Amino acid sequence: MDRLIEAIEAKQNPSVVGLDPTEALVPPQVVASFADEVRGEVESDEEAPAAQLAVAFYEFNRAVIDAVADIVPAVKPQIAMYEALGTSGVDVYTMTCEYAREQGLYVLGDIKRGDIGSTAAAYAHHLSGVGEYDPWHEDAVTVNPYLGTDGITPFVDAAAAADKDIFALVRTSNPSSSEIQELELADGGKVYEHVADLVERWGESTRGKRGYSRVGAVVGATHPEEGRALRERMPHTFFLVPGYGAQGGTAADVAGMFDQDGSGAIVNSSRGIIGAWKKTGSYGEAMSADEALDLVAESARAAAIDMRDSLRVAVYR
Ligand SMILES: O=c1ccn([C@@H]2O[C@H](COP(=O)(O)O)[C@@H](O)[C@H]2O)c(=O)[nH]1
């Protein structure tokens, strides 16, 4: 995690912008402006709308990345939004990761993979690439620890070999997370606490010079008390904290998930940043595609600065 920590410190900003585009979050004139470009490029008429949306996602992401690259250390593209569009979407996911890296950003691929060991080894190519070829351009990926140690070891090994990181789901931000994660074990502990102990152990041999291992944990901003307790329980585990903004989490809620030096966590906001343009009241259907993208960029930057400043007050006390 040393690279991520250094990037956070350089920008004095422990936040990551989530690149989760959907049709509803991209201004319609931006999507419409690519109709001619995709016609003739796709193999079938049925594929055209998905391909058109994918190109629009890429231009949208570039506008957001350009607007925030000097103030945030990292971006987190959510692969589900891209996979939903098929092959053109997956292409745009990889192009987005590559573009973000070219702008000097740490790229955290939210792919939430996990499987039996042999299949996890294939998924781990997200980190190791294929020979010299790295199609994914990610610095870290999220993983699902539910299959246990053999499902995680391939990711840990690939991360160590490639100087990259992984973040395992421990206490997720969604309302139903308690159905499984809060179940009580025979010893009185909770399922998520047991997973937390496993994550600390999985990272043991990969600690960097700042004391944090390559195996991070996903801990939702919507669980401030559990997050604070996990910070104590997991002294060598860096946290990725989603749930800020659109899911209700605040800077005060996440403050306890940082260590005494104001390090140890990075907070994600996706819709709160990339959808900020919808809340400005300045959008008009008569705008050109370029004007709409300018509004997306300005609003994303303003929202990212707002988030950064709120976190600075709450965390760098
Ligand atoms: O516990 C979790 C794990 C992952 N996520 C992901 O983070 C973003 C949150 O988006 P917002 O728009 O800021 O709510 C999204 O990609 C989720 O899949 C999470 O929310 N909670």
Side-chain angles (χ1 to χ4, degrees):
M1 297 290 169
D2 292 339
R3 278 197 299 129
L4 177 58
I5 294 169
E6 275 162 26
I8 291 169
E9 287 177 352
K11 287 173 177 158
Q12 287 289 289
N13 184 3
S15 72
V16 46
V17 170
L19 297 174
D20 300 26
T22 61
E23 190 165 7
L25 286 177
V26 179
Q29 54 274 65
V30 175
V31 181
S33 69
F34 292 108
D36 290 341
E37 190 174 307
V38 296
R39 206 172 295 129
E41 296 272 318
V42 288
E43 281 176 19
S44 68
D45 288 349
E46 292 77 40
E47 200 186 326
Q52 187 177 337
L53 200 51
V55 183
F57 280 6
Y58 185 58
E59 289 310 315
F60 178 87
N61 287 346
R62 287 204 326 160
V64 172
I65 291 167
D66 290 347
V68 301
D70 63 325
I71 51 174
V72 301
V75 290
K76 182 179 79 64
Q78 168 54 259
I79 202 167
M81 306 316 188
Y82 306 86
E83 285 178 344
L85 303 181
T87 51
S88 49
V90 174
D91 283 347
V92 161
Y93 174 83
T94 63
M95 288 160 60
T96 296
C97 293
E98 184 173 22
Y99 185 74
R101 261 191 164 177
E102 284 167 3
Q103 310 318 308
L105 296 169
Y106 178 98
V107 175
L108 209 170
D110 199 347
I111 66 171
K112 295 192 183 70
R113 299 298 149 98
D115 211 309
I116 62 166
S118 53
T119 308
Y123 280 137
H125 283 278
H126 269 271
L127 298 172
S128 58
V130 184
E132 297 293 299
Y133 171 55
D134 173 14
W136 298 105
H137 308 283
E138 297 149 327
D139 294 292
V141 294
T142 53
V143 296
N144 187 338
Y146 202 74
L147 280 91
T149 302
D150 68 285
I152 291 296
T153 303
F155 288 101
V156 179
D157 292 347
D163 187 21
K164 295 184 179 179
D165 307 302
I166 63 173
F167 289 85
L169 301 175
V170 170
R171 187 71 180 100
T172 61
S173 64
N174 54 315
S176 310
S177 61
S178 56
E179 290 173 3
I180 295 170
Q181 295 162 20
E182 280 188 18
L183 287 179
E184 206 166 297
L185 302 172
D187 67 2
K190 302 272 173 68
V191 165
Y192 77 87
E193 293 171 331
H194 181 66
V195 176
D197 294 344
L198 285 173
V199 168
E200 229 344 74
R201 203 186 318 146
W202 288 332
E204 231 162 34
S205 64
T206 69
R207 288 179 198 157
K209 59 178 192 272
R210 307 300 290 269
Y212 287 104
S213 83
R214 291 188 187 281
V215 186
V218 178
V219 180
T222 48
H223 305 295
E225 290 318 315
E226 289 104 321
R228 188 181 292 278
L230 286 172
R231 179 72 283 147
E232 298 278 309
R233 194 181 187 107
M234 308 175 80
H236 307 102
T237 304
F238 203 87
F239 290 178
L240 166 64
V241 185
Y244 183 97
Q247 295 177 52
T250 64
D253 290 333
V254 304
M257 304 186 197
F258 288 79
D259 65 23
Q260 285 185 333
D261 300 329
S263 183
I266 188 163
V267 184
N268 176 80
S269 176
S270 304
R271 288 166 292 178
I273 307 286
I274 67 172
W277 66 274
K278 292 194 124 183
K279 297 203 167 153
T280 60
S282 320
Y283 173 73
E285 281 172 16
M287 282 179 154
S288 69
D290 284 346
E291 287 167 340
L293 277 180
D294 285 346
L295 178 64
V296 166
E298 282 161 24
S299 318
R301 183 174 177 84
I305 289 175
D306 215 39
M307 180 178 179
R308 177 196 69 187
D309 293 348
S310 301
L311 289 173
R312 279 183 180 170
V313 170
V315 175
Y316 301 151
R317 9 172 224 267

